[in-house]
Each structure stands twice: as C-alpha cells, then as structure tokens.
Amino acid sequence: MISNVVAIVYDGVSPFELGVVCESWGMDRSEMGLPTFDFAVCAPEPGTVPTSMGFDLLVHHGLDRVAAADLVVVPAVPRFADVPRPVVEALQAAHARGARVMSVCSGAFALGAAGLLDGRRCTAHWMHTDELAARYPKARVVPEVLYVDDDRVLTSAGTAAGLDACLYLWREEFGAAAASLVARRMVVPPQREGGQAQFIANPVPECDSETLGPVLTWIVEHLDEELAVDDLAAQFAMSPRTFARRFRAETGTTPHAWITTQRLHRAEQLLEQTDRSVDQIANDVGFVNAATLRHHLRRVRGLSPQQYRRRFRTAPREPAAVTA
C-alpha cells in the first residue's frame, strides 16, 4: 500500500502538473480520516530548479530519496531535453524493486527514456502521443485516453487527467469512499474512467437547455431501476439515436457503459460502508443479480465483492445519501 511518495523534477518542469502531484499526495487530510504520506519533491541535485514558467523551485532532496518511495511520479517535463541519467537510473531502480511509477503529460517521455514503456500500454497528452510512439516504438501508445495503468506503470494525459490518474490510485489503494473524500476536498468529480476520451466533440452544448446534466443526475438517483436507452430517450423527449449521440458527445462514452460504471461505484460504496448482503447491494444499484455485480467487480478490480469488502471495509454504518 502506498505510504511514501516522491515527485522527481528537473530543469523545465511544469509547475501546474507538479502542483497536481503535490495536491494529490502532499496534503494532510488526516482530519477527514484519510491516510497521510511521507511526501517529497526531489531533483538530480538539491537546490534551485528552473520551471517552464520562468521561476525557480527550491528543492531540498536529491534522488537518494527515491529509494524509499512506494510511488514515484514524474510531472510534465521538457520533451526534447535529454533526461538526466541519474533520473533514468532512479526510475529504473524504483520499478525494479516493485514501486509504482507514474507520469503526468510529457513526463511519459522520461519514463520512455528509462525503458519503462517498452511493451507496455501507455499514453500522454493527445498532442504528443504520435511523437511518443515514434520516439519509443516498443511502447504500446494508446492515444486520446485519460490514463493507462500497466504493470505498475501509470501514464496520464495533461493537467486534469493527472488528477484523474491520482484519484484512480486513491481508489485502487484505499477504496471508493476515500477517493470520493479526496475528490470532494479538491472539488472535482470522484473519478473519470481511464479509457474515456481526453476531449469530446461538443464540450459546450449549443443550447444550455439541451445539456445532459439533469439527465445524468436523474440516472444516478434511479440506478436501482431498469434504465433502457429507449426509455431514457423518451423520458427526456429525444429519439434514441439523438440521445445516444448527445450522450457520447457530452460524456465521451455510451449510456450503457456510463450507467454500468455508476452502478459499480455505488456498489463499492455500499460494500465499504454497510453490512448489506451482495444480493441486496446488487438489487440496490440495479444489477440484475449478484452474479452480474461479481462479474463487473472482477473485471474492473480483480476482486470478488467479499474480497473488496475485506480490503476496503470502513466502520459499519447505514449509507448516507449519495449525490451526483
């Protein structure tokens, strides 16, 4: 389980993406009942490190600090500059001893220089994925997704996708309830799925009254009901074809996939926070039966419902109202 985190920086690092890492792993949220981490920023040489925005960072730790980390993160760094050899060696050593290694945006190029993308699925900002594939032909670059996790190497697209990847790790390590609390503190959505597109065709609807925001809220409030696309389209005065098209345009995925994800997230919360049986939870969230819940949980998490409950169990209590 992650308890020790470092961010590696060197000349030209982006302060925004570094801030994403610091916000995700460096904040003390113990008053919310969340774990805290031994967090540090380190550089090839302690001292001042120029950023991409014209100001310097004062870094107190060298790369020897990486040896203790469970999670090593490289924020956005210059794509065309040589990756310092000590950084390459530190990344290789960290992964070899079992640590997770993560990049945000162009930090993937540092992982590529260390050979950590070879044979692995990976991504970066959509503007740079072609370049990443050309420079590291052994990497299995997945363009335009938010993040990819492959054999303890987690790569993410730019800016907000870095937060999504961090929240994904929070969820993987500490459960749905913890990830939701962190997201609430940040005032961001609890989790976007890694396979979601980095951008959508029509992020701002032409007419505000046509946005699917109210539709999504209604769906989350009625997960226990049968939610067929034809019925949803009729309820909101659209043809099924128009509804499906607008849904993908605004969410980046299909209605069925989005609803399944919401049901699974709700089921995880109930497994963590209540004593309800797997059959009851499956019914509560709209899965046909417990077997369907088991199938989806194993597919996404690699755990049975009982294994998930034992791993992420919080103090038994009745569930609070869940809002979108």
Side-chain angles (χ1 to χ4, degrees):
M1 185 167 289
I2 294 173
S3 62
N4 193 309
V5 183
V6 300
I8 295 179
V9 301
Y10 52 89
D11 290 6
V13 64
S14 168
F16 188 96
E17 280 76 6
L18 175 60
V20 165
V21 180
C22 295
E23 175 74 15
S24 299
W25 305 104
M27 291 283 293
D28 183 349
R29 300 182 177 91
S30 55
E31 81 282 359
M32 301 172 70
L34 294 169
T36 57
F37 306 94
D38 189 351
F39 176 80
V41 177
C42 60
E45 294 290 340
T48 58
V49 176
T51 72
S52 62
M53 298 304 293
F55 59 85
D56 294 344
L57 303 173
L58 179 59
V59 179
H60 298 287
H61 297 278
L63 294 178
D64 56 325
R65 176 64 176 75
V66 177
D70 309 305
L71 172 64
V72 181
V73 190
V74 183
V77 289
R79 306 192 318 280
F80 298 110
D82 290 338
V83 181
R85 186 63 197 172
V87 171
V88 168
E89 293 172 352
L91 291 170
Q92 292 171 336
H95 187 264
R97 63 176 170 78
R100 278 186 174 270
V101 179
M102 174 183 169
S103 65
V104 181
C105 194
S106 58
F109 288 83
L111 272 55
L116 298 185
L117 303 185
D118 292 355
R120 294 188 174 91
R121 298 170 67 250
C122 57
T123 197
H125 192 287
W126 62 269
M127 293 179 65
H128 308 317
T129 49
D130 287 346
E131 179 187 346
L132 186 68
R135 288 175 55 181
Y136 304 108
K138 294 181 180 180
R140 298 164 56 196
V141 178
V142 184
E144 300 181 0
V145 297
L146 296 177
Y147 54 87
V148 178
D149 188 9
D150 190 337
D151 186 28
R152 294 176 288 111
V153 176
L154 177 60
T155 51
S156 64
T159 54
L163 277 178
D164 293 319
C166 289
L167 288 171
Y168 159 80
L169 276 185
W170 266 93
R171 193 178 191 97
E172 286 288 300
E173 293 285 314
F174 305 106
S180 294
L181 282 173
V182 174
R184 187 176 304 133
R185 174 73 174 263
M186 293 179 179
V187 198
V188 297
Q191 183 181 347
R192 292 189 295 172
E193 294 301 304
Q196 184 171 321
Q198 289 185 28
F199 60 90
I200 52 181
N202 299 295
V204 180
E206 294 181 3
C207 175
D208 288 343
S209 64
E210 294 182 4
T211 180
L212 290 184
V215 179
L216 303 183
T217 299
W218 188 91
I219 290 173
V220 169
E221 293 172 349
H222 296 81
L223 290 175
D224 59 329
E225 301 177 13
E226 185 175 348
L227 299 173
V229 171
D230 288 357
D231 294 337
L232 289 170
Q235 179 169 340
F236 292 96
M238 301 182 200
S239 70
R241 183 175 179 179
T242 297
F243 180 83
R245 176 179 56 81
R246 290 194 61 82
F247 202 100
R248 179 175 284 280
E250 293 198 28
T251 68
T253 190
T254 65
H256 179 266
W258 192 88
I259 291 168
T260 298
T261 296
Q262 300 309 309
R263 283 174 167 157
L264 188 57
H265 288 178
R266 178 73 63 80
E268 289 176 342
Q269 291 176 332
L270 294 175
L271 286 167
E272 292 178 34
Q273 300 176 7
T274 76
D275 291 316
R276 296 180 69 76
S277 71
V278 175
D279 287 295
Q280 290 172 321
I281 291 173
N283 184 69
D284 290 342
V285 303
F287 284 127
V288 175
N289 49 44
T292 303
L293 170 56
R294 291 189 187 96
H295 166 76
H296 288 294
L297 194 61
R298 281 197 178 277
R299 176 180 58 84
V300 173
R301 305 288 256 156
L303 299 171
S304 71
Q306 294 300 343
Q307 289 171 328
Y308 182 92
R309 174 170 268 165
R310 285 194 294 270
R311 178 173 176 181
F312 296 115
R313 181 68 187 228
T314 57
R317 61 182 182 272
E318 285 302 309
V322 179
T323 58

